[in-house]
Amino acid sequence: MKILILGSGGREYSIARAMKNEKEVHELFFQPGNGATSDLGTNLNIKDYNELAAFAKENEIELTIVGPEAPLVDGVVDIFKAEGLTIFGPSKEAAQLEGSKVYMKNFLAKYNIPTAAYIESDSIEELYKFTESLTAPIVVKADGLCGGKGVIIAMSHDEAKKAIGEMLSGKSFGDAGKKVIVEEFLDGFELSMFAICDGDDYILLQAAQDHKRLLDGDQGPNTGGMGAYAPTPLVDEELYQKVRDRVIRPTLNGMKEEGAPFEGVLFIGIMVVNGEPITLEFNVRFGDPECEILMPLMTSSVSDMFYKAATKRLSDINVEFSNQYAVGVVMASANYPYSSSTPAEIIVDEVHHEEIAKNTHISYAGVSREDNKLYADGGRVLVCVGLGDSIKEARNRAYLRCGQVHFAGKKIRTDIAYQAL
Ligand code: AMP
Ligand code: GLY
């Protein structure tokens, strides 16, 4: 197939890598891609979605996959569909499940999907009043997209009020903070679950855990994610079934009722509290780095799964998973997540050990290429992925691979998957 992938991260690299490993030969295009996706296909530079759709038509692209949320919230799927193109992702309207936390929370409430008790408002008095009724910590969220920074876990009422004030005034997140959610703090363990949806049917992938904080022991600031592993033994069949019955099915039915059937990746952020899955939030795309560890665990065709989902035929296929575990360790650049870093050349040692060569790989993210050398370009640079018959084995292999990747200022967590060991 001729496939176009939107995005530039390790997530998009890992989708492309999985496709390149299939029996069928695919021709891949990336908009914009990164310094390593050019090894897997052709990087484009067409920012305008109408022009991109025209390119897809001219070049007979058979499937387009959208990685990040921003193009989805901007309506890229609607533009492609209007041109008769096949694209996997939610419509602009359905993408509101991620684009507006107020939309998402009101949707959850309307369809009785368990979520933290909350209030949404643009009135400081109302928000303060609800804040007073809670005990700290208190969770304050800006309505719109904030690049993963729009959630404040306030340790006191004063801190919560300060965050509310700064959001409403536009000081912290501009228009994204015009409406604010205050909600109760849930104490439990967090999961990332992903359902590939075609509007009616879905395929639930294996449950993963992300590591959002920068430092070992879940300390330091929040990041996009410093590592992930799957499947997690913290989830048993009963919990999967609860998520199917209480979250995914009512969401697909509800979105149809809203006139915005959900097609694409439904990313469910779950807090498990006393064995019950409570929905923290939805995203409408794969998690990063979760995607990098889920793709290599799929033994059936990834391209076929996305194609069938995009053409509403998910019920026709059987998706198969390997019985291995995957652990992904993110390598970030020196100043992540605060500011950009000076580009640093990446040296990857040749892997001679056969077992490591066979059971590890790298998904490249924040990298650029110059004179055929790869440079760490700031942010999250790459993910070292290890596979194994146990989480421990997968993790050891991932860390062995990390030891063979070098660039100035590289930063990693050393405790990925600790929850499962
Ligand atoms: P979000 O951007 O909504 O995923 O929130 C970022 C992170 O904040 C989540 O991954 C959780 O770790 C945390 N969080 C969000 N809402 C709550 C809540 N109600 N209780 C506890 N932690 C939360
Ligand atoms: N790793 C979490 C996210 O992609 O939002």
Side-chain angles (χ1 to χ4, degrees):
M1 264 198 286
K2 274 182 144 183
I3 301 171
L4 167 63
I5 299 175
L6 270 63
S8 63
R11 168 178 52 204
E12 290 76 19
Y13 184 97
S14 71
I15 292 171
R17 182 183 173 279
M19 290 176 171
K20 280 289 176 189
N21 285 340
E22 292 171 2
K23 271 189 226 107
E24 193 190 340
V25 178
H26 303 293
E27 189 180 352
L28 305 183
F29 296 85
F30 301 89
Q31 168 52 37
N34 63 42
T37 55
S38 48
D39 285 336
L40 305 175
T42 308
N43 286 353
L44 306 174
N45 182 15
I46 309 175
K47 292 193 182 80
D48 180 88
Y49 298 138
N50 289 298
E51 282 174 34
L52 193 62
F55 170 89
K57 265 188 118 163
E58 254 164 53
N59 290 277
E60 297 173 337
I61 300 289
E62 295 159 86
L63 173 65
T64 298
I65 294 170
V66 189
E69 62 276 18
L72 296 167
V73 172
D74 289 344
V76 71
V77 167
D78 309 65
I79 291 171
F80 271 55
K81 283 194 172 167
E83 294 297 326
L85 291 157
T86 300
I87 182 165
F88 176 64
S91 65
K92 182 174 181 158
E93 206 183 333
Q96 285 303 299
L97 280 182
E98 176 165 359
S100 163
K101 289 197 193 296
V102 168
Y103 179 98
M104 180 257 296
K105 290 293 286 191
N106 290 343
F107 175 87
L108 292 173
K110 180 171 175 186
Y111 293 95
N112 293 316
I113 299 168
T115 188
Y118 74 105
I119 188 179
E120 52 98 348
S121 179
D122 56 7
S123 145
I124 199 157
E125 291 80 22
E126 264 180 40
L127 292 161
Y128 275 14
K129 202 170 148 209
F130 187 70
T131 301
E132 290 294 350
S133 75
L134 300 172
T135 41
I138 293 157
V139 185
V140 183
K141 302 183 172 182
D143 176 37
L145 290 183
C146 302
K149 299 191 177 69
V151 176
I152 308 288
I153 313 279
M155 299 315 289
S156 68
H157 289 87
D158 284 348
E159 199 189 323
K161 286 180 175 171
K162 186 164 167 256
I164 293 166
E166 288 181 355
M167 283 185 192
L168 284 181
S169 70
K171 194 171 151 199
S172 31
F173 303 112
D175 280 354
K178 273 192 168 158
K179 274 198 165 183
V180 170
I181 288 167
V182 173
E183 69 181 32
E184 67 172 328
F185 179 82
L186 298 175
D187 198 6
F189 66 87
E190 223 174 315
L191 298 173
S192 301
M193 290 230 211
F194 301 89
I196 310 297
C197 305
D198 73 0
D200 288 302
D201 291 306
Y202 68 92
I203 287 161
L204 181 58
L205 306 187
Q206 291 152 304
Q209 279 199 299
D210 185 15
H211 300 63
K212 289 208 160 90
R213 303 293 198 97
L214 181 70
L215 306 173
D216 284 8
D218 294 328
Q219 301 296 310
N222 260 329
T223 69
M226 292 299 290
Y229 76 96
T232 168
L234 302 177
V235 180
D236 58 13
E237 209 29 67
E238 193 186 338
L239 191 56
Y240 277 114
Q241 200 55 45
K242 283 180 183 170
V243 172
R244 288 174 178 279
D245 297 342
R246 297 183 195 170
V247 187
I248 305 176
R249 186 35 64 199
T251 297
L252 290 182
N253 292 351
M255 289 304 280
K256 268 172 85 172
E257 228 166 278
E258 297 296 311
F262 191 85
E263 298 170 24
V265 181
L266 183 68
F267 170 173
I268 312 156
I270 293 172
M271 190 73 85
V272 181
V273 184
N274 299 325
E276 304 302 321
I278 314 290
T279 299
L280 282 181
E281 61 153 0
F282 286 136
N283 295 306
V284 298
R285 39 124 189 130
F286 268 117
D288 190 342
E290 290 96 324
C291 188
E292 287 92 314
I293 50 148
L294 290 170
M295 288 299 112
L297 289 174
M298 304 204 57
T299 47
S300 50
S301 164
V302 163
S303 61
D304 191 48
M305 176 176 76
F306 291 134
Y307 187 75
K308 290 286 175 7
T311 52
K312 299 196 199 315
R313 286 184 295 156
L314 267 187
S315 58
D316 291 357
I317 58 166
N318 266 326
V319 170
E320 283 158 21
F321 305 97
S322 119
N323 44 28
Q324 285 195 302
Y325 294 86
V327 174
V329 179
V330 169
M331 276 195 189
S333 51
N335 302 332
Y336 183 71
Y338 303 106
S339 57
S340 57
S341 310
T342 347
E345 189 182 345
I346 303 173
I347 309 285
V348 181
D349 299 340
E350 206 177 314
V351 183
H352 294 291
H353 196 296
E354 203 179 312
E355 182 200 302
I356 301 303
K358 223 178 98 195
N359 291 292
T360 67
H361 64 266
I362 298 171
S363 265
Y364 289 96
V367 299
S368 58
R369 184 182 293 265
E370 226 181 287
D371 296 333
N372 225 20
K373 286 182 187 162
L374 275 186
Y375 288 85
D377 220 6
R380 291 181 294 172
V381 175
L382 54 85
V383 186
C384 288
V385 179
L387 297 166
D389 294 332
S390 65
I391 291 174
K392 202 168 167 191
E393 189 177 54
R395 182 204 218 203
N396 287 345
R397 287 172 175 166
Y399 278 112
L400 277 171
R401 189 66 188 245
C402 284
Q404 296 182 300
V405 179
H406 317 276
F407 60 89
K410 78 175 184 188
K411 216 173 190 173
I412 63 170
R413 268 182 72 157
T414 66
D415 64 347
I416 300 305
Y418 76 88
Q419 304 96 317
L421 292 172

